[in-house]
Amino acid sequence: MRPSSLLLLLLLGWAALLPGQTGPPERYTLPRRVMPLAKILLNLTEAGAELTYRPDQIPPLAINVPGGRRTLEGWLTLVLRNTELTFERGEAGYVLFLDPDLLGQNFQVYGQVKDQSTGELLLGSVVQIPDQEQGVLTNEYGYFSIETQGGRRRLRFSYVGYRPVELEILLRRDTLINVSLPPSAELPAVVVRAQPDSVGNFYLTETRTSIGHHEVSRLGGPGGEADPLRIARLLPGVETGADGLGGIFVRGSEAGHNLVLLDGVPVYNLNHAAGLFSIFSNQAIRRVDLYKEGIPARFGGRIGGVLDVHTKDGNFYDYQSSVGSSMLAAHFTSEGPLKPGESSFFVSGRYFWAGEVLRRFSETYKLSLGRQGRMNYQVHDVNFKLNQRISDKGRLYFSLYSGLDDYGNNAFETDTVTVLNPSGALFRYAAPRRRQEEVRWGNTVGALRYNHIFNDHFFGNFRLSYSDLLLNAVYERSDSLNELTNGVNRGDIFSGRYASDIRQFGLAFDGQLMLPRRAELRFGVEGSLHRFLPQLSSGKVPLSRQPPLEELGPGNVLHPIQIATYASLSGRLGWLHYRAGLRAQLWRSGVNFYDFSPRLLLAAPLGPNRSMRITYDRSVQPVHLVSSTVIGLPTDLWVPATRNLPPATASQISTQFTQQLPPNWKFELGVYYRDMKHLSSFSEGGRNGTWLDNLSTGGGFAKGMELTLSRTRGKLKGWLTYTLAESRRQFDQRINLGRPYAFRYGRQHSVKFVAIYDLSPQVSLSANWRWGSGAAYSLSLESFLLTDPAILGEEDAIETINLVNEKNGVIFPTNHRLDLNAHIQLSRPGRPGPKHVLDLGIYNLYNRHNPIYYDINTTYFARQSELIADRNFVQVYIAPITPTVAYHLFFGGASSRENFLE
């Protein structure tokens, strides 16, 4: 081809290309302002941009437009970067659509929920995705993790007593969110189920009942001393002795069968004043969780209920203090930041100032009865906590509790008996009657905890713990003259010394792993080193002849080791919710005891407003509490399982039906059966020897039905319960001749009524009334004198033997009492300055005398040469109708933080 022809072809080709060639991409101008995304797209379209999209897919977002000129692709990249939309260029311009890669993936939203005003974690708060009808509850460390589809999602965070917070987030990856909830001015419910009633069915595997600080304060208590256990005793299936004495008994089990935890550490004695109030000061607690059934596998070591007590963490942002007093004790608290937002402290103390009043009153009262003596009782306890935020994913805690009780009761009187013998001579005899009780006991509980969010699926908590109970007790009881033989007084005397030294060091890890399909695995391992030193000396001799405790000690020290591991899987299969767990335990105390305890919970909704669940729990208890008194003062011995004393075991199966009743009512029906084996008790008529020589073993059962009607919202709140129950025991021949007998606190019928009325945001009125069948009691109606030296070991010894036809064969009169309380906030909410709170109440409004036990009052008179003993039963009870007063003054805590996300 000639060069000219080639040049012509090139020119023609270049000319052909000219009409199809475009210049630089067109730029569009947008103003600098905040505009809705839909408005931005409309402005671009009106400016000539070729855009195609569905208006219903455009999220209602406001975009901060920087202004200026950009290409269409540049503007779309900018304004769509925080949305679930993407775009592509096609023949008709740019097409906007939902990102299929984003919507086709599931992501985890995880974090912690806190109190906005204090920074404390909120346990059991609700995290929901409303449009998907799913949700979770935060665990005991405020942690949550919920799986959902990618894209734009609306989350709702709520907790009783706080304003709910709703957030809209775009999920493109696993996301960490720490949310703070602002407190609400609305008064919370009195007893709060861990699961609210209107959040769907995801809570069906939660079986705890939660009691909070604010709820407890509104019910008051004896002497104005508010106590969380007071509410616990008003729940169905929970019993106690008269006026709260003796502890709490969950579904026919003993007080020593309950697992009591303070910030995750076992507590061996939870009572002050024999149970009149507990070691848990209401100023120090944040929440108390009670489990009667469906006990998670992470709890073990006891065969009764679980009382899981959480104390306050301390305010992260403001300094707060309070002082106050009831008719029994004075209180103080102080909390605040060490470094705002990073670390905090909390300290609370309580002192039983009424001890001095009790001493003076008891002296006067005993003198009026012709006796000399006094009663002394001193109590103090302290809670302390440090809380350090390590990072967004980790926290370190140190907590300490220390409490001490010192009780003494001494009385002495002398009966003078004049006898005219047949020869006419007068003889005068002094018949002494003495009672001496001295008990000193104290708890120390400490823990160092670190919890960490490892990733979006995995949360863990490490715990190093220490717990001890030190107890020393002596007693002596001598009655007046029982027999006159050849001019010699024969008295009735019984004395003893008790001591219990328990120390427990523990190391534990608890993990929570979120699995696919919204399943959750809870697992952990625990190890404990124990030291037990039970000491017991008792008999029919004066206290001066009892050996000192030092002589009973070193050879009896026991050092058992406990190792446990557990795993629990919870989730949902269609309509069926489940939680299946297994706990394995090794107890080594001279011999190895292995145990595997399965736990199972199945629950299902039966409609929009009703549900049903069934649970099976097996548990093992390698320590035994053997009681020796009728009122529950801790002259009790904790003893470990040994070769001749195996661990106690229990199996419980229960079912519960729940029906929501409009507008704000709920009805619950529960039925249970509990079987208990290898229980221990002091033998009847036990004599000198080691503690093991004085124990009997046996078993028992408990069964019952619980009905509850409750109202949780509105100005009027409360509940009405009825329980029909039976609990029996059977031991070896040394107790009741091997025959079955009634458990002392297995009340056949029980009715409890609680009503709270919010008169205004500042004033609430409460009333609680309980009625129950009388407790069972062993009462001797006749006795005989034992004079056999071969049995008593002394030539001229005489012992009075009380005859009991049937152990716990006497039923006390019905137990009932009505208490009233008015909780008044004297300062208006929201106003600066100190806040004054006053509680006024009446304890035992209609002056009911509920017997704790019956004492025997013996008087003597002479009939010619014969000395006659007249014995009368005297009812012992706590208090008549009594006004109650408590006052608290709160300082600080005025700031308010408005940011919900951290």
Side-chain angles (χ1 to χ4, degrees):
M1 179 178 296
R2 290 183 297 179
S4 58
S5 300
L6 179 60
L7 180 59
L8 179 61
L9 289 175
L10 292 174
L11 292 173
L12 291 174
W14 177 75
L17 293 175
L18 284 178
Q21 190 173 15
T22 61
E26 186 174 354
R27 294 177 176 268
Y28 299 90
T29 301
L30 290 176
R32 182 178 180 180
R33 67 177 62 168
V34 176
M35 289 190 294
L37 178 57
K39 178 66 173 176
I40 294 173
L41 298 178
L42 181 60
N43 287 352
L44 291 173
T45 302
E46 291 177 346
E50 296 179 342
L51 284 176
T52 303
Y53 57 88
R54 286 177 49 182
D56 61 322
Q57 291 182 346
I58 305 303
L61 295 178
I63 308 295
N64 188 7
V65 180
R69 291 174 58 82
R70 295 177 186 242
T71 64
L72 180 58
E73 184 170 342
W75 280 121
L76 293 179
T77 302
L78 175 67
V79 300
L80 298 182
R81 62 184 178 183
N82 291 324
T83 73
E84 61 271 39
L85 297 175
T86 188
F87 61 91
E88 286 185 359
R89 182 174 181 178
E91 296 181 357
Y94 286 86
V95 179
L96 279 60
F97 54 92
L98 295 175
D99 189 345
D101 294 333
L102 189 63
L103 299 179
Q105 297 184 59
N106 285 343
F107 299 102
Q108 294 290 138
V109 182
Y110 64 103
Q112 292 177 305
V113 181
K114 310 172 187 179
D115 183 321
Q116 184 192 86
S117 61
T118 66
E120 290 197 346
L121 300 176
L122 297 180
L123 321 181
S125 54
V126 179
V127 183
Q128 292 175 265
I129 303 178
D131 57 349
Q132 295 185 357
E133 295 186 355
Q134 70 176 100
V136 295
L137 300 174
T138 59
N139 68 8
E140 60 271 28
Y141 310 105
Y143 169 79
F144 73 93
S145 180
I146 185 170
E147 183 182 60
T148 187
Q149 194 178 45
R152 186 162 303 279
R153 291 289 172 262
R154 184 167 56 93
L155 276 72
R156 188 176 192 271
F157 301 84
S158 61
Y159 191 75
V160 174
Y162 291 78
R163 297 201 308 269
V165 169
E166 291 195 1
L167 301 174
E168 193 172 76
I169 62 174
L170 176 65
L171 281 182
R172 291 185 175 273
R173 61 188 64 85
D174 296 329
T175 304
L176 170 65
I177 297 179
N178 291 324
V179 179
S180 298
L181 300 185
S184 171
E186 180 183 354
L187 291 173
V190 176
V191 171
V192 183
R193 290 281 183 184
Q195 62 277 7
D197 301 330
S198 59
V199 295
N201 294 317
F202 65 84
Y203 61 84
L204 291 178
T205 56
E206 292 294 334
T207 55
R208 65 176 178 252
T209 298
S210 297
I211 303 168
H213 161 80
H214 295 290
E215 296 83 43
V216 175
S217 62
R218 297 168 67 193
L219 257 69
E225 190 66 22
D227 189 339
L229 294 194
R230 178 174 169 80
I231 294 184
R233 297 182 187 118
L234 292 170
L235 297 174
V238 181
E239 295 299 335
T240 185
D243 298 297
L245 299 191
I248 63 173
F249 309 92
V250 179
R251 289 186 168 180
S253 59
E254 310 276 355
H257 292 165
N258 300 317
L259 176 62
V260 182
L261 300 172
L262 182 61
D263 286 332
V265 185
V267 178
Y268 286 92
N269 180 68
L270 72 161
N271 291 325
H272 288 312
L276 190 62
F277 58 101
S278 74
I279 66 172
F280 308 123
S281 170
N282 193 44
Q283 282 67 39
I285 70 158
R286 183 170 35 154
R287 198 181 79 177
V288 177
D289 293 332
L290 173 67
Y291 296 85
K292 299 182 298 182
E293 62 182 6
I295 298 175
R298 66 181 182 273
F299 297 121
R302 301 292 188 273
I303 62 174
V306 175
L307 204 66
D308 192 13
V309 181
H310 308 271
T311 61
K312 293 180 179 179
D313 291 339
N315 196 314
F316 265 76
Y317 309 111
D318 295 298
Y319 292 99
Q320 292 180 307
S321 299
S322 70
V323 293
S325 180
S326 66
M327 295 174 64
L328 299 179
H331 310 258
F332 83 91
T333 63
S334 181
E335 60 181 307
L338 298 173
K339 183 178 180 181
E342 297 294 329
S343 60
S344 67
F345 74 92
F346 176 86
V347 61
S348 175
R350 178 169 55 169
Y351 176 72
F352 187 73
W353 62 266
E356 181 64 22
V357 178
L358 179 64
R359 183 184 66 82
R360 295 184 180 183
F361 173 79
S362 65
E363 288 179 342
T364 303
Y365 178 72
K366 291 178 187 291
L367 284 175
S368 68
L369 299 177
R371 304 172 186 172
Q372 294 179 342
R374 67 179 60 172
M375 179 183 291
N376 290 303
Y377 189 57
Q378 299 295 327
V379 178
H380 72 264
D381 52 24
V382 176
N383 287 273
F384 177 73
K385 200 169 194 178
L386 292 175
N387 180 3
Q388 175 67 52
R389 182 174 177 262
I390 304 299
S391 67
D392 287 342
K393 296 186 176 183
R395 283 200 184 196
L396 183 67
Y397 302 86
F398 172 74
S399 59
L400 178 68
Y401 167 83
S402 179
L404 181 67
D405 291 61
D406 195 347
Y407 166 81
N409 187 13
N410 301 282
F412 177 82
E413 65 177 311
T414 301
D415 294 336
T416 301
V417 180
T418 303
V419 178
L420 179 67
N421 67 9
S423 62
L426 288 175
F427 292 89
R428 289 182 173 85
Y429 299 97
R433 183 183 304 169
R434 180 190 304 275
R435 178 169 182 168
Q436 177 183 356
E437 294 177 341
E438 295 180 6
V439 189
R440 183 181 177 90
W441 72 97
N443 287 295
T444 301
V445 179
L448 181 65
R449 294 184 293 141
Y450 173 70
N451 57 55
H452 187 76
I453 302 174
F454 290 94
N455 55 44
D456 56 299
H457 288 79
F458 186 26
F459 174 89
N461 183 73
F462 302 86
R463 183 180 69 247
L464 179 65
S465 63
Y466 172 79
S467 178
D468 73 29
L469 170 64
L470 298 178
L471 161 71
N472 282 284
V474 298
Y475 69 92
E476 179 177 340
R477 297 189 183 101
S478 58
D479 204 351
S480 299
L481 190 66
N482 280 334
E483 183 190 18
L484 181 64
T485 306
N486 297 325
V488 177
N489 288 348
R490 299 297 186 187
D492 185 16
I493 188 170
F494 192 74
S495 68
R497 300 181 190 270
Y498 289 83
S500 184
D501 182 355
I502 306 171
R503 301 176 189 178
Q504 178 178 343
F505 297 90
L507 182 64
F509 169 75
D510 176 59
Q512 186 174 352
L513 181 64
M514 306 307 298
L515 300 176
R517 298 183 180 179
R518 302 173 187 171
E520 175 188 309
L521 178 66
R522 192 77 181 257
F523 63 97
V525 61
E526 303 172 353
S528 298
L529 300 176
H530 296 78
R531 180 184 185 273
F532 285 86
L533 178 55
Q535 299 166 286
L536 166 64
S537 174
S538 63
K540 301 284 187 176
V541 296
L543 188 62
S544 59
R545 293 173 57 185
Q546 295 287 354
L549 292 176
E550 292 77 8
E551 298 180 7
L552 303 175
N556 297 327
V557 178
L558 300 171
H559 295 91
I561 299 174
Q562 181 179 11
I563 299 175
T565 183
Y566 61 87
S568 177
L569 179 66
S570 60
R572 178 177 178 180
L573 295 173
W575 52 269
L576 181 66
H577 298 246
Y578 66 89
R579 187 179 70 218
L582 179 66
R583 184 180 180 90
Q585 178 173 286
L586 166 65
W587 177 268
R588 179 174 178 80
S589 181
V591 63
N592 293 336
F593 292 100
Y594 301 94
D595 184 84
F596 295 91
S597 301
R599 315 275 174 88
L600 179 64
L601 182 150
L602 299 174
L606 303 180
N609 294 314
R610 65 177 63 95
S611 62
M612 186 174 184
R613 72 168 179 244
I614 184 169
T615 63
Y616 171 78
D617 301 303
R618 188 183 188 277
S619 51
V620 60
Q621 179 165 337
V623 294
H624 301 267
L625 177 63
V626 285
S627 301
S628 59
T629 62
V630 295
I631 64 172
L633 284 171
T635 52
D636 306 327
L637 291 180
W638 283 97
V639 297
T642 62
R643 187 181 304 275
N644 299 320
L645 185 65
T649 60
S651 296
Q652 177 181 263
I653 186 169
S654 61
T655 183
Q656 178 168 302
F657 170 81
T658 302
Q659 171 72 61
Q660 301 291 335
L661 302 173
N664 295 315
W665 295 87
K666 180 168 65 175
F667 171 77
E668 294 175 282
L669 166 64
V671 179
Y672 67 90
Y673 180 85
R674 184 196 299 263
D675 181 60
M676 296 168 282
K677 301 183 184 300
H678 305 302
L679 304 181
S680 62
S681 178
F682 273 124
S683 304
E684 294 174 343
R687 308 188 186 282
N688 294 331
T690 67
W691 57 266
L692 192 57
D693 297 329
N694 288 277
L695 293 185
S696 294
T697 58
F701 73 87
K703 59 183 179 180
M705 177 184 67
E706 301 165 357
L707 301 174
T708 305
L709 180 65
S710 60
R711 178 182 170 92
T712 58
R713 302 177 187 276
K715 283 194 171 185
L716 178 64
K717 308 179 183 73
W719 65 91
L720 173 66
T721 74
Y722 168 73
T723 301
L724 174 65
E726 180 184 10
S727 183
R728 298 185 70 80
R729 302 287 190 268
Q730 185 173 12
F731 285 79
D732 55 34
Q733 290 293 320
R734 293 184 292 177
I735 296 182
N736 205 41
L737 301 177
R739 298 171 299 181
Y741 62 90
F743 172 52
R744 187 178 177 203
Y745 296 107
R747 304 183 190 276
Q748 184 177 10
H749 303 280
S750 177
V751 178
K752 300 169 185 178
F753 173 71
V754 175
I756 310 292
Y757 182 72
D758 297 332
L759 192 62
S760 71
Q762 297 171 258
V763 180
S764 65
L765 308 176
S766 68
N768 69 86
W769 179 75
R770 57 177 299 164
W771 177 95
S773 302
Y777 194 70
S778 298
L779 201 60
S780 171
L781 300 179
E782 57 180 326
S783 61
F784 70 94
L785 297 179
L786 178 63
T787 58
D788 190 346
I791 297 177
L792 299 178
E794 298 183 25
E795 184 63 31
D796 62 346
I798 296 177
E799 180 177 343
T800 301
I801 303 298
N802 296 319
L803 296 181
V804 177
N805 293 330
E806 183 76 19
K807 183 176 177 63
N808 292 346
V810 176
I811 304 298
F812 279 169
T814 56
N815 184 305
H816 52 92
R817 191 185 73 241
L818 174 63
D819 303 330
L820 304 177
N821 191 70
H823 182 74
I824 307 168
Q825 183 173 323
L826 301 178
S827 307
R828 289 189 178 182
R831 283 194 174 183
K835 183 175 73 170
H836 306 264
V837 175
L838 181 65
D839 282 276
L840 302 174
I842 301 177
Y843 176 84
N844 196 6
L845 179 65
Y846 50 83
N847 200 30
R848 171 68 177 180
H849 294 177
N850 292 309
I852 305 172
Y853 62 92
Y854 285 98
D855 203 357
I856 299 177
N857 188 13
T858 307
T859 57
Y860 298 89
F861 61 92
R863 180 182 298 166
Q864 297 180 355
S865 62
E866 183 180 6
L867 187 65
I868 305 298
D870 184 18
R871 297 191 174 192
N872 299 303
F873 293 108
V874 179
Q875 184 186 93
V876 179
Y877 63 96
I878 285 292
I881 177 174
T882 307
T884 64
V885 179
Y887 169 77
H888 292 278
L889 180 62
F890 298 87
F891 304 91
S895 70
S896 177
R897 301 173 65 251
E898 294 299 333
N899 55 311
F900 300 140
L901 291 177
E902 295 184 355

